[in-house]
Amino acid sequence: MSEKPRSRTSGARFVVLASLLCLLAAAALLVVLRYQTYYASLLLLALIFVLPAAINLLLLVPLPREKQTAASGASSEATTRRARAMAFCKKQIARLFGAIRHHRAALLACGIVALTLGCNVFFWLTLKNISYKGRLDYFTVVLLAALFVLFIVFGKWCKHRMPEAGEGEPDVEVRYGAALLRNMQSAFALARLGVLLTAVTVMLALLGIYDFSRWLTVLLGVLFAYQTVFTFISLFVVLVRRELQVAPEVSAPAPGVEGGDLGIVTYLEKNTGISMRSLWSIQMIKKAIPYAVLMSVLLLWGVTGVVMIESHQEGAHYRFGELREETLAPGLHLTLPWPFDTVEVYDTGTVNKMTVGYIAEGDADNIWTEAHGGEEYRLLLGGGNELVSVNLRVMYRIKDLRAYLTNCSSPELLMSAASYEIITARTITSDLDAMLATDRVAFATDFAAELTEVLTRYQTGLEVVNVVLESIHPPVEIADAYQAMISAEIEAGQLILDAEAYAGERLAWAWIDYDSELAVANITKHESIAAARASVAEFMASVEADNAYSDEYRYYKYMQAITEAYSGAKLVIVGDGINQENIYIGNIGSVTNQYD
């Protein structure tokens, strides 16, 4: 008779464990998807999964069983010191288990309260700093639809594994497993509702119909608050009935779950077994509700002392209206509840932007002929007859939060006034041409140094990060005419430069031609002189050769003359008795010819 409930109980625990793993895996998947899509509502939905999963995981921890130990006789002399030490350790462990068994209900209740409060703190801090921008796609909708179907399957599985109502009173293990299964049914029902709301919101946003992201966060907040309130109510009920270790049904009523009517009175009647409409019940509720309301109010009041400071922020800590010396660094801080302590959070790590010379309406190109914002200011130049517009962008951040809050009522206004004062001091001593020819980098650097000096002198707590000089130009009304005049001057200068370049080019070619002709003349002169000198030298050599070797030289000249005269000519020798041995075949004057 005992085998069937035992097997059904172990099966129920297995189903509960699988359901817990399913919820936790779905929550982890949503967290990963949140950091990929930057859609913060997915993190809120994951916390709705985590709260019941964590509570039921705590309830699923098995009870430590008592071990029957045989009574030992008197210690013998052979008992070793190690055995006595082991016996002492076992005795202490047995005492610890006994204390846990004795106070298990209190420990479970404290654990459930701690888990619920921790999830609430994280949920509401996340909701406070939520961002509604994200990169959504249809994969998110498909994933949410898959989770919706999965939760339906697990809900049906939990309902199918619910122990059947038989004859007699079920044992403790069966009631315990049935309570956990009902808890999981409620968790899956609320999870399906949250998934459905999120999927519909994402689909409508993707289709471009309407973005209900803000309403989704409100609905998820209401759903989480509903889950939290009924967690505390059901915990209070099981503690009053002393059933936390017998049937720990700690869940919120949901449609489709046994005892899932949404009416509070009906829920309490089904879970307490008493009529809430009887006089005795009303009296008990009248006594219990004030304490529950007081505990809830105290709980909510205490949560006002929990402050989360992000990595780019600092917190100004006020106690009884007085600013404390130390500001709150990034992290989680516990302060006194409101109104004893208040904390104002400032973005000290964020670089802010202030425009000087115009009121910005968005990012745009700075064109002379168009206004740079909603309103553009004009500054009078030194001559008194010219106007100019100077557009700067000052990047700054809060460096010293305490100085920012205590030394000046409005540091940003002081910085703006100081900026215009520095710009005015520059313009009243200059003219339009000098201002337009100003080196922008040097101007921005000097401006930043002067502005930093003013902010330091007044101890505003602000730090100038960078100054960008966007443009210096005449007023928009005369910008076209001034631009046309500048264009004409530029065009005239360009024509002058072109003429000078052409003149320089022609002059360079003339010098090149002059140098070429002069070089050719010099070459011809030197060639003529060399030829004359060669002729003279040849003549003098001939005279000397004729004087020294008159016959030979004259014969040489004779032969040279014949060679020149008959060079390349054909000779025909006709006659009888010609000695062929004395005839040369070849050119006249050649000394290397062979005889034929």
Side-chain angles (χ1 to χ4, degrees):
M1 297 295 294
S2 61
E3 291 298 328
K4 183 176 180 180
R6 182 70 61 185
S7 62
R8 184 173 290 276
T9 301
S10 61
R13 286 182 177 271
F14 174 76
V15 173
V16 172
L17 180 60
S19 301
L20 292 175
L21 295 177
C22 174
L23 280 177
L24 293 176
L29 187 61
L30 289 181
V31 171
V32 173
L33 189 62
R34 175 256 182 274
Y35 285 105
Q36 289 182 346
T37 62
Y38 300 100
Y39 196 61
S41 297
L42 296 176
L43 185 58
L44 301 180
L45 183 60
L47 289 173
I48 295 177
F49 299 170
V50 168
L51 178 58
I55 293 174
N56 287 278
L57 186 61
L58 182 62
L59 294 173
L60 196 60
V61 176
L63 286 168
R65 299 181 179 275
E66 294 188 31
K67 294 184 178 180
Q68 301 294 334
T69 58
S72 60
S75 299
S76 63
E77 295 180 358
T79 304
T80 62
R81 183 178 300 176
R82 182 176 179 182
R84 288 197 299 270
M86 292 295 295
F88 177 77
C89 292
K90 290 180 180 179
K91 184 177 180 181
Q92 296 301 321
I93 294 175
R95 285 183 178 180
L96 178 61
F97 282 174
I100 293 176
R101 282 192 299 271
H102 184 68
H103 300 288
R104 186 174 187 270
L107 293 175
L108 284 177
C110 292
I112 292 173
V113 171
L115 288 173
T116 306
L117 292 180
C119 288
N120 271 268
V121 170
F122 193 77
F123 184 91
W124 297 113
L125 289 177
T126 303
L127 185 62
K128 178 182 178 182
N129 301 317
I130 195 169
S131 174
Y132 297 99
K133 296 181 179 179
R135 300 193 301 264
L136 297 178
D137 51 20
Y138 288 99
F139 174 75
T140 304
V141 180
V142 173
L143 180 62
L144 292 174
L147 290 179
F148 184 81
V149 174
L150 186 64
F151 291 163
I152 291 177
V153 172
F154 270 87
K156 295 293 184 182
W157 190 21
C158 292
K159 184 176 181 180
H160 176 71
R161 297 299 300 179
M162 190 72 66
E164 299 177 358
E167 296 182 358
E169 186 71 18
D171 61 2
V172 175
E173 293 293 336
V174 175
R175 294 179 61 191
Y176 200 91
L180 292 181
L181 288 173
R182 279 193 291 271
N183 291 346
M184 297 313 301
Q185 281 186 274
S186 173
F188 281 123
L190 295 179
R192 289 197 301 270
L193 180 58
V195 168
L196 180 61
L197 293 174
T198 307
V200 171
T201 302
V202 173
M203 178 59 74
L204 292 177
L206 290 174
L207 294 177
I209 299 176
Y210 189 77
D211 189 2
F212 288 95
S213 297
R214 295 181 181 273
W215 290 103
L216 177 63
T217 56
V218 174
L219 294 176
L220 292 179
V222 171
L223 184 61
F224 189 79
Y226 173 82
Q227 191 179 48
T228 301
V229 169
F230 274 96
T231 297
F232 282 120
I233 291 176
S234 57
L235 178 62
F236 175 75
V237 169
V238 296
L239 287 176
V240 170
R241 299 181 61 179
R242 299 182 179 180
E243 291 184 345
L244 189 57
Q245 301 185 76
V246 178
E249 191 170 342
V250 183
S251 61
V257 182
E258 183 181 356
D261 294 334
L262 298 182
I264 297 179
V265 175
T266 306
Y267 174 78
L268 293 176
E269 285 181 349
K270 289 185 177 181
N271 287 277
T272 58
I274 58 177
S275 175
M276 293 294 150
R277 295 169 177 81
S278 64
L279 181 60
W280 178 84
S281 302
I282 294 176
Q283 292 296 329
M284 189 191 73
I285 291 174
K286 285 182 179 180
K287 293 180 180 180
I289 286 181
Y291 294 103
V293 172
L294 179 61
M295 184 177 68
S296 301
V297 171
L298 290 176
L299 176 63
L300 295 176
W301 182 56
V303 171
T304 60
V306 180
V307 180
M308 172 64 79
I309 307 296
E310 299 295 336
S311 59
H312 61 281
Q313 297 175 335
E314 283 187 47
H317 188 189
Y318 295 89
R319 177 160 292 175
F320 300 106
E322 181 182 358
L323 180 63
R324 308 194 70 183
E325 290 292 336
E326 297 293 332
T327 59
L328 299 183
L332 185 64
H333 300 271
L334 297 177
T335 62
L336 296 179
W338 182 87
F340 302 108
D341 282 4
T342 56
V343 176
E344 295 181 2
V345 180
Y346 293 87
D347 293 338
T348 57
T350 302
V351 177
N352 302 302
K353 179 181 71 173
M354 182 187 71
T355 58
V356 179
Y358 68 100
I359 299 176
E361 288 185 345
D363 296 333
D365 295 332
N366 288 347
I367 303 174
W368 281 16
T369 57
E370 295 182 7
H372 301 170
E375 184 178 357
E376 194 170 32
Y377 305 126
R378 304 169 186 174
L379 301 174
L380 188 65
L381 292 170
N385 298 321
E386 295 177 322
L387 296 175
V388 70
S389 295
V390 181
N391 305 134
L392 291 113
R393 187 169 67 250
V394 180
M395 308 294 184
Y396 69 96
R397 71 179 186 90
I398 302 174
K399 183 179 181 181
D400 188 346
L401 181 58
R402 181 173 177 79
Y404 175 80
L405 295 173
T406 56
N407 296 330
C408 185
S409 60
S410 182
E412 283 83 1
L413 289 179
L414 176 62
M415 183 171 64
S416 177
S419 300
Y420 282 103
E421 183 179 357
I422 296 171
I423 291 295
T424 304
R426 293 291 186 91
T427 57
I428 61 176
T429 59
S430 181
D431 56 14
L432 184 59
D433 292 335
M435 287 297 297
L436 294 178
T438 300
D439 185 355
R440 294 192 177 190
V441 176
F443 186 94
T445 303
D446 296 339
F447 180 88
E450 294 182 23
L451 184 59
T452 301
E453 182 181 355
V454 174
L455 297 178
T456 304
R457 184 169 67 248
Y458 286 99
Q459 298 181 355
T460 58
L462 296 176
E463 177 188 17
V464 178
V465 177
N466 190 23
V467 174
V468 178
L469 178 58
E470 296 180 342
S471 65
I472 301 177
H473 61 86
V476 176
E477 292 77 8
I478 65 171
D480 291 331
Y482 189 85
Q483 191 172 8
M485 183 186 68
I486 296 298
S487 300
E489 291 180 357
I490 294 174
E491 185 177 358
Q494 184 177 359
L495 292 175
I496 293 173
L497 291 176
D498 291 341
E500 292 178 351
Y502 180 76
E505 181 181 2
R506 300 309 304 168
L507 181 62
W509 281 112
W511 278 108
I512 291 173
D513 293 340
Y514 168 77
D515 292 337
S516 299
E517 294 296 333
L518 182 61
V520 171
N522 288 330
I523 291 171
T524 304
K525 180 184 74 172
H526 289 296
E527 286 180 350
S528 299
I529 293 173
R533 290 178 178 176
S535 299
V536 171
E538 183 180 1
F539 177 76
M540 292 304 297
S542 300
V543 173
E544 291 179 358
D546 185 64
N547 293 331
Y549 308 99
S550 177
D551 296 335
E552 293 82 354
Y553 177 74
R554 292 183 179 183
Y555 180 74
Y556 169 75
K557 295 297 289 181
Y558 171 75
M559 294 302 296
Q560 185 178 10
I562 292 176
T563 300
E564 292 178 356
Y566 294 102
S567 177
K570 296 181 178 179
L571 297 179
V572 179
I573 299 174
V574 180
D576 295 332
I578 297 174
N579 189 1
Q580 296 181 356
E581 296 180 355
N582 295 326
I583 297 175
Y584 291 95
I585 303 302
N587 293 329
I588 298 176
S590 174
V591 297
T592 59
N593 291 332
Q594 298 295 328
Y595 294 107
D596 190 354

